[in-house]
Amino acid sequence: MDEVEVVVAHSERATLRVGDVFLKVDADQARIDAEVEAMALVPVPTPEVLWRRPPVLAIAAVPGTPLGRLGEPSTASPAAWAAAGAVVRKLHDTPLPPRLGRAGRGRDELAAELDAECERLVTNGVLPADLVTRNREVAEAALRPWTPAFTHGDLQIVHVFVDGDEVSGVIDWSEAGPGDPLYDLATLTLGHEEHLDDVVAGYGTDVDLDVIRAWWSLRSLLAIRWLAEHGFDPTAPGCEVDVLKSRM
């Protein structure tokens, strides 16, 4: 192998690919612990852990390609999106993990974090006040009581790999823990609302679509400043700022 691919790199963590091996370097050992523990518990396809020498975790590549990417049209079939929904349902039916994880934040904690972040977005001129206010109103629907399920906690479409119409692997479990199951569904479909019906069909039970849309607003509001500060562009077409604009 004559090259190393930098998959993602910022001040908190970096992921490198060398052939069929991914090397995850994380300054927070708890995130690596959570990832290894979660992958051992879930009845869904996950990467094979090859070795672990803190602060590095080596995992094998999973077959297939990501379900899609935020800001780009997905080339995956409706059947593949439905298969992703079915895998998420299997995850949510798994007994709760012992580790709380970031996914386990409660309503009050989320509301306080959201209010503080909205104030910063407006005060610092990151987003227009009317855009923030409207999406803060939409986000309120997510801040209701929920029954915790085993959630991935960061189920972006790039973390779900498909091979044809089947899910071949789900990666990046560092934020797994008990949480709102609709948050996983919302994260999976963020920026890809056109595939929400396919995911829900595969999930196999009725869900509150207004709550999923509320999570789109909430996740985007909380993520925008962090993304910008870590070298990502939330203003790119189809990404977080466009998600917020779609609620206007």
Side-chain angles (χ1 to χ4, degrees), residues 3-10 13-18 22-23:
E3 66 178 32
V4 175
E5 176 189 355
V6 179
V7 179
V8 63
H10 49 75
R13 69 190 81 164
T15 300
L16 311 175
R17 179 169 187 169
V18 185
F22 286 87
L23 303 175

Side-chain angles (χ1 to χ4, degrees), residues 162-174:
V162 294
D163 190 358
D165 293 338
E166 301 295 329
V167 174
S168 54
V170 181
I171 67 172
D172 284 5
W173 292 84
S174 61

Side-chain angles (χ1 to χ4, degrees), residues 43-58:
V44 303
T46 60
E48 177 189 359
V49 175
L50 301 176
W51 51 263
R52 182 182 179 197
R53 296 176 190 144
V56 182
L57 172 67

Side-chain angles (χ1 to χ4, degrees), residues 24 26 28-42 49 52 57 97-103 150-152 172-177:
K24 305 189 71 170
D26 200 316
D28 185 349
Q29 187 59 40
R31 280 195 292 255
I32 294 294
D33 292 342
E35 180 155 10
V36 173
E37 290 175 14
M39 289 193 294
L41 292 172
V42 296
V49 175
R52 182 182 179 197
L57 172 67
R99 185 182 293 268
L100 184 61
R102 185 169 170 77
F150 194 138
T151 59
H152 180 281
D172 284 5
W173 292 84
S174 61
E175 297 187 15

Side-chain angles (χ1 to χ4, degrees), residues 69-95:
R69 296 186 183 277
L70 186 61
E72 301 177 8
S74 171
T75 59
S77 67
W81 281 89
V87 164
V88 177
R89 177 62 183 274
K90 184 181 291 187
L91 168 64
H92 292 167
D93 286 342
T94 304

Side-chain angles (χ1 to χ4, degrees), residues 14 26 46 60-61 69 81 86 101 106 109 112 130 143 145 175 199 221 244:
D26 200 316
T46 60
R69 296 186 183 277
W81 281 89
E109 183 181 356
D130 61 340
L143 302 174
E175 297 187 15
V199 170
L221 287 168
L244 296 180

